[in-house]
Amino acid sequence: MPVSCLSRMILQSVLLASLALAQPRCKCTFGKTCWPGEKAFNKLASQVSQPLVHPVPPESACYPANNPADNCTDVTAHSREGNWRAEFPGSMQTPYWETYTFPNGTISACYLDTTLGFSCQQGSVPVIGVDARSEKDVQTAVKFAAKNNLRLVVKNTGHDYLGRSTARGAFLIWTHHLKNITFRDTFRPVGAPQAKVYEAVMTLGSGVQWHEAYDAANSRGRLLVGGLSAGASVGAAGGWILGGGHSALSPHYGLGVDNVLEFSVVTADGRLVTANAYSHSDLFWALRGGGGGTFGVVTSVTYRTYPSVPVIGIFGAVPLTSEAIAKALVTEFIRLQPIWVNTGYGGYSNINSSALQFFFVAPNASQADVDATVQPFFDLAANLTSGGPPMQNGTVPFDSFFSWYRLLFSGGEQVGTNIFIGSRLLPLPLIQSSPEKVAETILSIEGGVLWHAVAGGAVSRVPPDSTGLNPAWRNAVTHVGAFQGWPEGASASVIAAHGNKLQGEVSKLEKLAPGSGAYFNEALPFEPRPQTTFFGSHYKRLKAIKKTYDPASLFLVANGVGSEDWDSSLNCRH
């Protein structure tokens, strides 16, 4: 090696080592002497468009001493509605993540049930933050956090099973009110050749939720690949897309990351950059699956859209009245899954020892073709359950995906309770070769599983290394989730016991397909090997890109890229 090259490498190593030594070992959190004073926060307030927010758990309205003017009746009536909870900077969709457990096992929390006898405390809810209404607001907040070495969290709606958008004593950037929606008939990504033009794209601010995005797309006669939950309250341009973004439409159109054309993102140095295939392409690669709250603050996402087309809804509700019937029907259902998803049918199922329930959507398909595909399963179910409880199976035509979505997801309650979720991706070879073994495992899991038919088909046709997403997605048929819940006010030991129980159930899925990976947005918060489980062979490259754009680790989330270099609180380096 030439001496000059060797000298350059040594100098670079020394500079990097010096940078590491210069960085504080721990983040600054509320209550420490390093925490900015009133003067600093007043100056920040003068530089942003809205007054600073002082988040509190929404349940605090039920404690007059904390919020004497608030209405507890409103909280009680709406606490399980995702869109209601999203309107509070201090609210998480899963209340557990508003709480904080000290090393000695005591819990700081603010419970909705005041009869438990606990006082209302701040828990893990950040104490102060910026209600961002513009990209400039985000830039100002990021620079403030970096200058003061603050523990920083980024939150949109609080849909988060790993607690990544909240932290005790932290400074918050709340992106929920970045609601701009722009439709463009033609679009050329920044830096792209003149001929690289896309038609009918939508740019969504990072605070836009899926119900708002779907309404806007439908008004234009367009279809958008997006997430589905009660009230469609999940953010359309935040953690959903950054973690991969699965959808019932994915087998037909691909995952969310397969439909993104461009991001606007504020990086750790406060710059607003455009990331696409031609500008900051490394960051564009990482943002498509590398996880939210990790590489910067996304302010908008530009998606391709598709013409609205008729769809066929596929519905099934089959009682499983004996072990033999359960095994036979679930085995056949699983055996058929590669056929269904590779034909472009996607959807969701709940499978347990007593029932199999599912609803799928088949875009731009004829009812005759759909019936020919699914009727054999309905016939088998009718034959095996003859004389038992009635089934509810069939196919129904809809004029659009929007109509199907409105029927199933326009309302309902899906949040506001304490829950852990664990998941695994199940690959095509396993499903094809061992459907009976998969069925036996699924039926053995306490409480059953959520079977998300959101892979295969178009998802499998995308080259595994084209995005930062875990490559396991490209060989998967389904994303399977198990869950454990517990009542409000449970002790730390009871919560830990539920976590251990769930970990045991997930290990059954892991044994089916060792190393298959999991979906980062719906997974165990205590995965033993999060780097490989969530990111697979892409982890090394993702971490290198993070060091490029965030060398001081301003952005840290639980189980995210680079988190292994920090303690469990993500406040201090190892």
Side-chain angles (χ1 to χ4, degrees):
M1 178 182 292
V3 174
S4 59
C5 292
L6 180 61
S7 300
R8 193 179 305 115
M9 290 177 62
I10 293 173
L11 179 60
Q12 185 178 32
S13 297
V14 170
L15 289 173
L16 288 172
S18 299
L19 178 63
L21 289 172
Q23 295 170 358
R25 179 174 173 270
C26 295
K27 299 283 187 181
C28 183
T29 54
F30 177 71
K32 293 183 178 180
T33 56
C34 58
W35 189 253
E38 183 179 359
K39 183 177 179 180
F41 281 115
N42 286 341
K43 182 178 179 181
L44 172 64
S46 72
Q47 296 172 331
V48 294
S49 65
Q50 301 293 314
L52 299 184
V53 292
H54 299 271
V56 294
E59 294 81 6
S60 64
C62 295
Y63 295 78
N66 295 70
N67 285 289
D70 283 329
N71 185 355
C72 182
T73 303
D74 191 50
V75 182
T76 304
H78 300 291
S79 66
R80 297 196 62 186
E81 298 173 11
N83 284 308
W84 183 87
R85 296 192 74 87
E87 294 300 319
F88 298 88
S91 173
M92 294 292 287
Q93 301 286 345
T94 302
Y96 170 74
W97 297 111
E98 298 171 9
T99 73
Y100 180 80
T101 303
F102 291 94
N104 66 1
T106 59
I107 297 176
S108 173
C110 188
Y111 298 119
L112 180 60
D113 184 358
T114 58
T115 66
L116 293 171
F118 298 103
S119 62
C120 176
Q121 300 180 32
Q122 189 76 6
S124 286
V125 176
V127 295
I128 195 169
V130 168
D131 176 6
R133 305 292 177 107
S134 68
E135 291 171 330
K136 183 179 180 295
D137 283 348
V138 175
Q139 291 178 277
T140 301
V142 166
K143 290 175 182 177
F144 181 83
K147 177 183 177 181
N148 292 283
N149 187 37
L150 302 182
R151 175 74 165 93
L152 173 66
V153 293
V154 182
K155 175 179 176 286
N156 176 2
T157 65
H159 273 281
D160 193 345
Y161 291 110
L162 282 80
R164 296 167 297 182
S165 51
T166 192
R168 183 173 176 81
F171 175 73
L172 172 71
I173 299 178
W174 192 32
T175 64
H176 181 62
H177 290 116
L178 292 173
K179 294 284 192 181
N180 288 343
I181 299 177
T182 305
F183 187 91
R184 282 175 273 191
D185 293 325
T186 60
F187 173 75
R188 183 170 65 88
V190 171
Q194 289 293 329
K196 195 66 174 179
V197 175
Y198 296 87
E199 295 182 352
V201 307
M202 287 183 67
T203 299
L204 307 178
S206 59
V208 174
Q209 293 165 270
W210 278 118
H211 69 91
E212 297 162 326
Y214 289 145
D215 287 349
N218 183 66
S219 71
R220 292 276 186 161
R222 305 298 292 184
L223 177 151
L224 196 62
V225 176
L228 292 162
S229 63
S233 58
V234 172
W240 178 86
I241 183 64
L242 299 173
H246 72 61
S247 170
L249 294 171
S250 291
H252 194 90
Y253 297 103
L255 294 164
V257 294
D258 305 326
N259 287 281
V260 172
L261 299 175
E262 192 166 274
F263 292 95
S264 292
V265 56
V266 176
T267 53
D269 56 5
R271 289 183 301 148
L272 176 65
V273 305
T274 299
N276 59 39
Y278 311 95
S279 171
H280 298 93
S281 59
D282 55 345
L283 181 59
F284 183 55
W285 183 87
L287 290 172
R288 289 177 294 154
T294 299
F295 300 94
V297 184
V298 169
T299 58
S300 70
V301 179
T302 299
Y303 287 99
R304 67 176 81 230
T305 70
Y306 301 90
S308 181
V309 295
V311 305
I312 305 296
I314 306 167
F315 301 94
V318 185
L320 305 176
T321 54
S322 72
E323 288 186 18
I325 289 175
K327 182 177 178 180
L329 281 177
V330 174
T331 296
E332 181 63 6
F333 180 77
I334 290 170
R335 187 189 71 79
L336 291 169
Q337 291 302 290
I339 299 171
W340 290 16
V341 296
N342 288 329
T343 308
Y345 307 168
Y348 310 100
S349 310
N350 189 312
I351 307 173
N352 57 53
S353 59
S354 60
L356 165 60
Q357 299 173 304
F358 58 87
F359 50 97
F360 281 58
V361 62
N364 205 25
S366 73
Q367 184 150 5
D369 288 344
V370 174
D371 285 343
T373 302
V374 303
Q375 194 60 45
F377 177 77
F378 290 156
D379 290 342
L380 175 65
N383 181 53
L384 289 177
T385 61
S386 176
M391 298 189 306
Q392 296 177 8
N393 301 321
T395 59
V396 181
F398 293 84
D399 62 358
S400 66
F401 166 77
F402 185 78
S403 295
W404 178 87
Y405 138 75
R406 289 285 296 172
L407 174 69
L408 297 170
F409 294 99
S410 61
E413 297 180 342
Q414 193 177 336
V415 300
T417 58
N418 297 306
I419 190 172
F420 286 146
I421 287 183
S423 69
R424 283 297 182 271
L425 296 163
L426 298 187
L428 177 62
L430 170 69
I431 300 296
Q432 289 178 322
S433 65
S434 308
E436 185 173 346
K437 182 179 179 182
V438 175
E440 290 175 348
T441 301
I442 294 298
L443 290 167
S444 75
I445 292 177
E446 183 179 294
V449 302
L450 303 172
W451 180 281
H452 298 79
V454 293
V459 177
S460 64
R461 294 191 286 271
V462 175
D465 294 332
S466 62
T467 71
L469 183 70
N470 188 338
W473 269 101
R474 306 305 178 182
N475 193 38
V477 170
T478 184
H479 150 59
V480 178
F483 48 90
Q484 284 280 316
W486 61 92
E488 239 192 350
S491 67
S493 61
V494 168
I495 296 170
H498 283 285
N500 291 335
K501 175 65 175 176
L502 181 59
Q503 200 155 16
E505 301 296 346
V506 172
S507 70
K508 297 177 182 178
L509 298 174
E510 174 70 18
K511 289 176 183 177
L512 275 178
S516 66
Y519 179 42
F520 190 33
N521 286 341
E522 297 169 357
L524 282 171
F526 31 80
E527 276 286 348
R529 295 174 298 279
Q531 292 78 37
T532 55
T533 299
F534 296 141
F535 309 105
S537 60
H538 287 164
Y539 188 75
K540 184 177 180 181
R541 183 179 174 190
L542 287 168
K543 191 167 184 181
I545 293 170
K546 178 171 175 62
K547 286 185 177 180
T548 297
Y549 289 92
D550 185 19
S553 293
L554 176 66
F555 302 106
L556 286 170
V557 297
N559 295 309
V561 174
S563 62
E564 72 276 15
D565 298 333
W566 296 72
D567 65 11
S568 60
S569 71
L570 300 182
N571 287 333
C572 294
R573 299 175 188 273
H574 288 309

